[in-house]
Amino acid sequence: MTASTTRRPATGRSRKAVAAAAAVVASLMLLSACGDQTDAAIARREAQKNRNVNAPLFKMLPKDVQEKGLLQVGSDITYKPVEFRSNGAIEGIDPDLAAAMSKQLGIKLNFNNATFDTLMGGLKSKRYDIAMSAMTDTKERQQGIDSNTGKKIGQGVDFIDYLNVGVSLYTQKGKTKGVDGWETLCGKKLAVQRGTVSHDLAKDKSKACEKNDQQPISIEAYDNDSEAQTRLRTGGVDAVSSDYPVAAYAVKVSGHGNDFQMVGGAPLKAAPYGIAVPKGQEKLRDALKAAVERTIKNGSYAKVLDKWDVKDAAVKEVQLNGGS
């Protein structure tokens, strides 16, 4: 014999509870149907669309990268013409070269915006797989040494060198205020992007001014080069130092060529831009190096450099850790 049960009619409160539970279930089903809509998830789905297992270099990639079909790229997307946004799209030298490399690798290189001085930390925390952001290859970065303190802060990175550039100075057009090279900057105001070679060079030159009993350079460091340009445009500083491609582009396009002028002659401290890959990722590093080499051989590298008027920065040979 089984115990008898009596069904009681649902109260208003219980009916509401049932309805609420049903709503939760329905919403979960809807989310499941729609899929994860985060930026990372969307990027992964797009990557799978672009994944090409028959690409020439696909088998060179690490297995986890093959499966994802994606590399997350850390980049400061405010650095015309190297990388910048135009009508919502990411454009420039680095994105165009990355697209050419993608065809050889069979995966997507997905650019993520960040301020330049956070990129190395992003690699260390594995937020990004690589960094491609007009980053100068230096021994300090290779060894994971902080340029300000001289202390080791990480394992460092390997660089795949793909452009050879230097830093340039520019002033307001027709208002050089006596600035005609680094030796004329003592006592002047200079804007730079924080954490760049220009920033390091400015600090070194300022110390040299003081050793020679001259006023130091008043250095203003900004999160991005656009802010430094705005400061110069409004007369807040006497000059800006940027990598040559960026300086040349700013002089050419800002105010239709009427805002700035180059000073000081040829770019100083020529050094390679490198794609930064965390130490210990040799297989990924070698696949990326091979991809750059293939873009040079098939002509797509030259087309990108010609498009952005930086063909003089072309490398003849792709080196690893060629910076000093």
Side-chain angles (χ1 to χ4, degrees), residues 89-128:
I90 299 173
E91 298 185 7
I93 299 167
D94 281 353
D96 283 356
L97 285 176
M101 292 167 63
S102 291
K103 292 179 181 178
Q104 303 303 313
L105 295 164
I107 61 169
K108 180 180 176 64
L109 273 64
N110 186 59
F111 278 68
N112 300 266
N113 189 31
T115 56
F116 186 83
D117 59 345
T118 66
L119 293 177
M120 296 299 280
L123 290 175
K124 183 180 178 182
S125 67
K126 299 184 179 180
R127 182 177 182 183
Y128 315 121

Side-chain angles (χ1 to χ4, degrees), residues 70-181:
L70 175 74
L71 284 175
Q72 297 292 1
V73 183
S75 188
D76 179 3
I77 308 174
T78 60
Y79 210 52
K80 294 181 180 181
V82 188
E83 47 258 319
F84 62 100
R85 288 191 185 275
S86 179
N87 298 320
I90 299 173
E91 298 185 7
I93 299 167
D94 281 353
D96 283 356
L97 285 176
M101 292 167 63
S102 291
K103 292 179 181 178
Q104 303 303 313
L105 295 164
I107 61 169
K108 180 180 176 64
L109 273 64
N110 186 59
F111 278 68
N112 300 266
N113 189 31
T115 56
F116 186 83
D117 59 345
T118 66
L119 293 177
M120 296 299 280
L123 290 175
K124 183 180 178 182
S125 67
K126 299 184 179 180
R127 182 177 182 183
Y128 315 121
D129 298 306
I130 62 174
M132 192 171 183
S133 187
M135 184 176 286
T136 302
D137 175 358
T138 67
K139 291 296 182 186
E140 289 173 328
R141 288 172 176 156
Q142 292 171 25
Q143 297 167 5
I145 295 173
D146 186 298
S147 61
N148 292 316
T149 65
K151 294 181 179 179
K152 191 170 180 65
I153 57 174
Q155 293 301 309
V157 298
D158 286 326
F159 281 104
I160 302 149
D161 299 334
Y162 64 100
L163 283 179
N164 194 40
V165 300
V167 297
S168 296
L169 290 171
Y170 55 102
T171 66
Q172 282 189 324
K173 193 165 189 175
K175 298 179 182 179
T176 64
K177 298 182 181 180
V179 176
D180 189 27

